[in-house]
Amino acid sequence: MARPAALESVLAAIRACRHCVEAPQGKPLPHEPRPVLRASSTARLAVCSQAPGTKVHESGTPFTDRSGDRLREWMGVTPHEFYDEARIAIVPMGFCFPGQDANGGDLPPRRECAKLWHGNLFAALPQLELVLAVGSYAQAWHLGEAAGASLQETMLGWRQHLQRTQRPHVLPLPHPSWRNNAWLVKNSWFEVELLPVLRREVRLLL
């Protein structure tokens, strides 16, 4: 099990982090940092996604948007279950909203976060049994060399990733954004084959 004191120390440091403003890699964060994450020494399931969007930046609570509604439906959980920190950790690749590009799309997660914090944070979460790697950024970090060259390739190998001997197991998911609607239509197996397994695994851990 995780040592609560060690975990709380890492979480406190992350929540106080201003590295992307005071010592950034590239352009500094264009607004005040507001790290958003949830973790505990008892959660056995982790939702590991990309980075907060505008609504999450405003609320300070992860997945308080339509993507969150879809993700919870995929998982088969209620909002109460999803936000039960004792059972579900939520750890994005970038802890702060990264800003938007010229077309209004969210920028990629800040590179500083994973480099500075993810190693120590996940070392303080040894009790995790399953990571839901939401989107290609999370998949690349949590699967390493086992990740495919594309989201499609990684997703097609979902059974192998879930069954790997290394702990925690990793189940890749596409990001639940509406931008992936076309992918979901083209890959009907996701709903037919993967979602029942996802819901079963989640229910076992809760």
Side-chain angles (χ1 to χ4, degrees), residues 139-182:
Q139 291 161 12
W141 198 88
H142 288 280
L143 290 171
E145 294 182 357
S150 65
L151 173 72
Q152 181 74 11
E153 185 177 333
T154 302
M155 289 304 307
L156 289 173
W158 69 272
R159 292 186 187 276
Q160 289 72 33
H161 301 313
L162 182 60
Q163 294 167 1
R164 72 178 189 173
T165 56
Q166 181 182 347
R167 294 280 181 159
H169 296 308
V170 177
L171 180 57
L173 299 174
H175 196 280
S177 167
W178 62 268
R179 291 182 176 86
N180 279 331
N181 284 351

Side-chain angles (χ1 to χ4, degrees), residues 50-131:
Q50 181 167 308
T54 53
K55 290 185 177 180
V56 173
H57 178 66
E58 293 170 1
S59 69
T61 302
F63 287 104
T64 49
D65 50 24
R66 287 189 298 168
S67 293
D69 293 337
R70 176 180 265 178
L71 178 60
R72 286 183 283 274
E73 192 274 330
W74 285 354
M75 294 171 64
V77 296
T78 66
H80 176 75
E81 290 173 321
F82 186 76
Y83 291 115
D84 184 351
E85 197 169 282
R87 294 192 287 176
I88 298 180
I90 304 175
V91 183
M93 290 306 300
F95 298 121
C96 293
F97 170 52
Q100 295 180 322
D101 60 26
N103 296 319
D106 290 351
L107 292 169
R110 297 289 307 194
R111 290 177 294 169
E112 296 93 339
C113 293
K115 182 178 180 180
L116 285 169
W117 302 117
H118 278 58
N120 287 339
L121 177 56
F122 283 97
L125 296 170
Q127 83 284 354
L128 288 178
E129 296 184 33
L130 176 63
V131 165

